[in-house]
Amino acid sequence: MNGFLKSLLDVFKEPSVVIGLIALLGLLLQRKSLSDTVKGTVKAFVGFLVLAAGAAVVSGALTPFGDMFQHAFGVQGVVPNNEAIVGEVLTEFGSQAALIFFFGMVVNVLLARFTRLKFIYLSGHVALYLAAMIAVILMANGFATWEAVLWGSLAQGLITTLSPALVQPWVRRVTGRDEVALGHTGGVGIWFGGLVGKVLGDARKSKSTEDLKIPQGLGFLRDTTVVIATSMGVIYLLVTLIAGAGYVESHLSGGQWYLIWAVMQAGKFAAGVFVILAGVRAVLAEILPAFKGISEKLVPAAKPALDVPILFTFAPNAVLIGFLASFVGGLLGMGLLVGLGTTIIIPGVVAHFMTGAAAGVVGNATGGRRGAVLGAFANGLLITFLPLLVLPFLGNVGMKNSTFSDADFGVAGFLVGGAAQWGKFAVIGLVLVSLAAVVAGSALAGRRRPATVSGTADEDGADAGHGRENTLTK
């Protein structure tokens, strides 16, 4: 009996096996054929192994970069990149993260079913990243696996329900509809960008970003892989030049010419991120369809919360302007951190591209061109300083020269991590109080406005679609 239990425990210690079993369960619930079930299970299993392989490549590129940065500036330099840090986390806490991810989806569906927050979080990749952050915080702060899975799943479900609800007024203003929501871990930053655009932007919205002519030569900035490779190449080269050829060639490159070494390390980083994304897509392609089908049956009035590109077609110019403004905010924030002498958060290109672009789109909707620039700039500052709040709670993973990038990670990580340092009961109290507040608040809202559906009748969404072509389905 003990041998059987040990074997079972060994099975669940392998995150790739846990992912495969979750995919198998989803495929069985969909009543797929034997052929499709075997194929989907194996693809999910192998997809996680692909993800782990990409994580090793990213780690191999970041480790010497961290050493070189510390030698050049005398401080630790951290690159906020979700794929890089998640790859590190999943190699150590992959089973816990996979279970939090799965049961967190269940909690999200239940909250949508029994409250007025009818948002089903379908951006599976960032939900998996969020689960990884929760797992490492709880496990690094003394939680047993079952405790981390239980309370982590409840926290995950709460976050993935509340984040779309927070941004929904701006989504209605951008799209002119209330049938879809935004599901992304940049929710807090995007909401803040819309708020800044509304307060500091052009109240009349007389000048839109879409009236501008953007040079076609900047089109490459919309390709994420190209942007990562190019920007990391510039960063690596700058730090390499400051560190000096002597140090790099004697301590890091094994005698290889230091400039070509820097270019190769940047390329490896971009390649590793590309491989991680391929693994994530392979895993989620087998898990999400089952979740979506089940949620649609249980919550007929639900709104799907989708990734940030759903907003991009409404203001393509704002996408590019938002990315650039957010990145400038990140550079300014990095300069401030240099002056403060703290850990340096190097602007993460992916985070500034995805969340900065979305903040630019909502900022344009709330405050015109000025709103797009200022809203995205505010997002850039936010995702530069928030990662600092999470680093102390990540244990050994926090020393890997990478961290979580988006604003939701910063806010949720700080709350959960801060509570975890007070003790297990503080985390339990935080989760239960938050859960009770969501349920009670929903019930009170239902009594006050019994005729409305979740979040459909606020001033921001009343006439947002007037005169605008709907491009959601393009």
Side-chain angles (χ1 to χ4, degrees), residues 279-441:
V280 168
R281 292 189 193 103
V283 169
L284 297 180
E286 308 306 328
I287 295 175
L288 285 185
F291 171 66
K292 185 174 184 293
I294 294 167
S295 66
E296 286 175 347
K297 293 178 182 178
L298 291 176
V299 194
K303 299 178 181 68
L306 305 173
D307 202 357
V308 286
I310 66 165
L311 300 179
F312 289 178
T313 57
F314 291 92
N317 289 347
V319 170
L320 185 55
I321 291 170
F323 164 52
L324 296 174
S326 181
F327 195 74
V328 169
L331 290 173
L332 177 61
M334 182 178 70
L336 294 174
L337 292 176
V338 170
L340 294 173
T342 66
T343 297
I344 307 302
I345 302 297
I346 300 167
V349 178
V350 177
H352 286 288
F353 177 77
M354 300 300 286
T355 66
V361 172
V362 299
N364 182 61
T366 59
R369 292 180 196 172
R370 190 165 71 229
V373 172
L374 295 178
F377 180 81
N379 172 78
L381 286 174
L382 203 62
I383 63 175
T384 300
F385 289 98
L386 283 178
L388 280 177
L389 303 180
V390 184
L391 279 175
F393 308 128
L394 298 180
N396 292 333
V397 176
M399 304 302 292
K400 298 291 186 179
N401 303 312
S402 185
T403 189
F404 297 92
S405 59
D406 305 330
D408 287 8
F409 292 122
V411 174
F414 177 71
L415 292 175
V416 174
Q421 293 213 328
W422 280 89
K424 294 180 181 179
F425 288 109
V427 174
I428 295 170
L430 173 66
V431 171
L432 292 180
V433 168
S434 300
L435 188 62
V438 168
V439 174

Side-chain angles (χ1 to χ4, degrees), residues 229-280:
T230 304
S231 59
M232 289 303 292
V234 172
I235 291 171
Y236 267 90
L237 285 169
L238 287 175
V239 177
T240 300
L241 288 170
I242 295 172
Y247 173 79
V248 172
E249 292 176 5
S250 61
H251 290 80
L252 302 176
S253 72
Q256 185 182 28
W257 186 38
Y258 71 121
L259 294 182
I260 193 64
W261 175 85
V263 171
M264 291 300 298
Q265 294 303 307
K268 288 179 182 178
F269 179 89
V273 170
F274 184 87
V275 172
I276 288 172
L277 288 172
V280 168

Side-chain angles (χ1 to χ4, degrees), residues 10-11 66 71 81 86 95 113 133 144 150 170 222 231 235 246 250 311 330 346 349 356 365 377-378 402 412 445 458:
D10 287 341
V11 167
H71 174 80
N81 183 279
V86 165
S95 296
R113 176 67 179 85
M133 184 193 72
L150 172 60
W170 304 147
R222 293 191 173 98
S231 59
I235 291 171
S250 61
L311 300 179
I346 300 167
V349 178
F377 180 81
S402 185
D458 72 83

Side-chain angles (χ1 to χ4, degrees), residues 61-84:
L62 279 179
T63 300
F65 175 79
D67 296 338
M68 182 173 61
F69 194 95
Q70 191 159 9
H71 174 80
F73 299 104
V75 293
Q76 183 185 8
V78 175
V79 179
N81 183 279
N82 294 328
E83 288 75 24

Side-chain angles (χ1 to χ4, degrees), residues 110-119 161-162 165 434-450 452-455:
L110 292 175
L111 286 173
R113 176 67 179 85
F114 294 108
T115 73
R116 292 170 58 82
L117 302 178
K118 306 294 184 183
F119 303 103
T161 302
L162 292 172
S434 300
L435 188 62
V438 168
V439 174
S442 177
L444 288 174
R447 290 179 182 177
R448 292 175 182 173
R449 296 188 298 174
T452 62
V453 181
S454 168

Side-chain angles (χ1 to χ4, degrees), residues 132-152:
M133 184 193 72
I134 294 171
V136 69
I137 288 177
L138 296 182
M139 295 298 293
N141 285 278
F143 279 66
T145 293
W146 73 268
E147 295 172 320
V149 171
L150 172 60
W151 302 111

